[in-house]
Each structure stands twice: as structure tokens, then as C-alpha cells.
Amino acid sequence: NAGVMQNPRHLVRRRGQEARLRCSPMKGHSHVYWYRQLPEEGLKFMVYLQKENIIDESGMPKERFSAEFPKEGPSILRIQQVVRGDSAAYFCASSPADRARETQYFGPGTRLLVL
Amino acid sequence: GESVGLHLPTLSVQEGDNSIINCAYSNSASDYFIWYKQESGKGPQFIIDIRSNMDKRQGQRVTVLLNKTVKHLSLQIAATQPGDSAVYFCAEKVKGGKLIFGQGTELSVKP
């Protein structure tokens, strides 16, 4: 049973470009969460999605950031017009639809570097 | 506001000793807590979890203790091994589903 998959693992962008980060949840999981980790810090929640729905985006910046989890395909975190402050590790986690099983399992992350 | 914090940012232990990593949380309404291990360049790896209706839970070589009175969580690792060297995070699940993480404790195991 494959775990949470993220790609790319490393992404380099110049200021002003767009970054697209992909996350495929574990098989059978329909809840996806995105977190951001700055160096030497803990993870900060960004957004929580279920298939075709954004449940909670309270941690996501209002501008330049967007997320989706379509009916088919991976979840996408999109950052437009990247700035150096966007450089971080972005982690995706997934959990099952069964609310009694609440553990979130994390992918390996995408490390974004903005030049 | 909501926060989860750790008392010690670094912990160094001898191989074979027991390790204890502590965590304080502030949201008394939280009912689910998780410990994660993160190795360099990797994503957080689930270690053990506990619900608020419990005060202790044991896994393989690990034990989590929850003291709701003082809002304190700890992770105990028995017979610590070099492979246990990593950063350990506690996380608190708040209403709505998101996790709030502490800043992390770096565990270093000396052979």
C-alpha cells in the first residue's frame, strides 16, 4: 500500500514564476491537508480539502495561493508569482474518510526554492 | 491563541538510555494528539497517538502520556537507539481537522 506521494520533491523557481505542487493521498483516503515548514520550525497548517471541496483554508495566504482536490487526480497546491519568502518545504497529509480514524499520514514533501 | 510548544529544543542521550520528550498544549478542547518523528529531508512519520479519554498509551518501545489537568504531553522512548535520532514533534488536532504542531525537539543519540 503506497503512502502519500508528492511531486516534485524539489522545485526551483525564479521570483514571479508559478509553482505547482502535487499530492496523491494514500489509497482509500479522501481527506487532504497541506502544511508548510520553514527551516528550523514546525509545520503550519495551510488548507484542508476533501474531493472537490475546500473545507478549511484559514492557514493559506489570501493572495497568490490556491489549492484544489479534483474528483480525479492529485491535489494541487498552486503558488503564483512566487517570492523568496515562499521558499519552504510543503507537506501534504491524508486521512481516511472514516472520522474515527483521525491520524494524518504525511508525504515526503516538496522543497521549494525561490531564487 | 492556540499553540503547542515543547520545553526542550534539543536532547542528547546515550544509546540504550530512555528518552523523554515533553510538550505543552493550550487548547483544552482538543481531544486527539499525535507524536511524529522527522528525519532530515523527510516528511513527518507517525509514531503514536492518544485520545483525550486516555492518559497513557504504549507502542513498541514508545509510550505517550497525557496530563489534561496541566495540558502536558510526553513521549518516552525506551532503550534509545541511534536510529531514533531525529526531530520529534507533538501535534494537537483542533476542531475542524487541522493539526497544530509544536516547534520540535531534536533528539541526538550518542553511541
Side-chain angles (χ1 to χ4, degrees), chain B residues 7-8 10-13 17-23 35 63 65 72-78 80 88 105 107:
Chain B
H7 293 166
L8 297 173
T10 60
L11 178 64
S12 183
V13 301
D17 287 351
N18 297 335
S19 302
I20 299 176
I21 301 172
N22 296 303
C23 176
W35 279 100
T63 301
L65 299 177
H72 183 268
L73 198 67
S74 68
L75 176 70
Q76 300 177 2
I77 305 173
T80 313
Y88 289 80
T105 291
L107 176 65

Side-chain angles (χ1 to χ4, degrees), chain B residues 1-7 23-30 33 66-73 90-94 100-102:
Chain B
E2 301 169 334
S3 68
V4 180
L6 294 170
H7 293 166
C23 176
Y25 64 94
S26 60
N27 191 334
S28 37
S30 295
F33 304 87
L66 175 63
N67 185 331
K68 295 181 287 293
T69 302
V70 295
K71 289 185 281 188
H72 183 268
L73 198 67
C90 62
E92 169 188 17
K93 190 164 191 178
V94 299
I100 296 177
F101 283 80

Side-chain angles (χ1 to χ4, degrees), chain B residues 11-68:
Chain B
L11 178 64
S12 183
V13 301
Q14 287 291 141
E15 181 179 358
D17 287 351
N18 297 335
S19 302
I20 299 176
I21 301 172
N22 296 303
C23 176
Y25 64 94
S26 60
N27 191 334
S28 37
S30 295
D31 61 2
Y32 182 63
F33 304 87
I34 310 172
W35 279 100
Y36 288 96
K37 171 187 179 182
Q38 187 177 26
E39 296 174 284
S40 180
K42 297 184 178 180
Q45 176 188 353
F46 170 85
I47 301 174
I48 193 167
D49 59 359
I50 189 168
R51 295 191 180 279
S52 59
N53 61 352
M54 305 171 68
D55 53 20
K56 180 179 180 179
R57 190 162 189 228
Q58 288 184 291
Q60 187 176 12
R61 285 200 307 117
V62 294
T63 301
V64 55
L65 299 177
L66 175 63
N67 185 331
K68 295 181 287 293

Side-chain angles (χ1 to χ4, degrees), chain A:
Chain A
N1 184 18
V4 177
M5 301 182 72
Q6 291 186 248
N7 68 82
R9 295 291 307 277
H10 299 274
L11 182 61
V12 180
R13 286 287 180 265
R14 295 191 181 280
R15 283 178 294 171
Q17 291 183 322
E18 178 179 288
R20 281 186 180 237
L21 288 61
R22 296 174 186 79
C23 168
S24 295
M26 289 178 69
K27 186 177 180 181
H29 289 193
S30 59
H31 298 234
V32 166
Y33 310 79
W34 285 94
Y35 295 82
R36 176 165 64 179
Q37 185 177 34
L38 296 173
E40 307 299 319
E41 293 189 9
L43 284 73
K44 304 290 187 194
F45 169 79
M46 298 183 73
V47 62
Y48 165 28
L49 310 103
Q50 295 178 19
K51 284 286 187 181
E52 300 184 279
N53 286 303
I54 296 176
I55 306 302
D56 180 357
E57 56 183 347
S58 61
M60 201 152 68
K62 295 289 187 290
E63 297 180 353
R64 302 189 298 108
F65 285 73
S66 62
E68 63 177 8
F69 188 17
K71 186 176 181 181
E72 301 291 338
S75 175
I76 305 288
L77 179 66
R78 181 184 179 201
I79 310 173
Q80 295 178 287
Q81 300 174 342
V82 296
V83 301
R84 286 194 175 144
D86 296 333
S87 296
Y90 292 83
F91 291 97
C92 167
S94 72
S95 66
D98 181 359
R99 298 302 294 163
R101 299 167 58 200
E102 299 185 58
T103 303
Q104 294 181 20
Y105 296 92
F106 283 81
T110 294
R111 280 143 186 88
L112 172 65
L113 175 61
V114 180
L115 301 176

Side-chain angles (χ1 to χ4, degrees), chain B residues 15 80-86 109-111:
Chain B
E15 181 179 358
T80 313
Q81 303 169 359
D84 295 327
S85 294
V109 182
K110 295 179 288 187

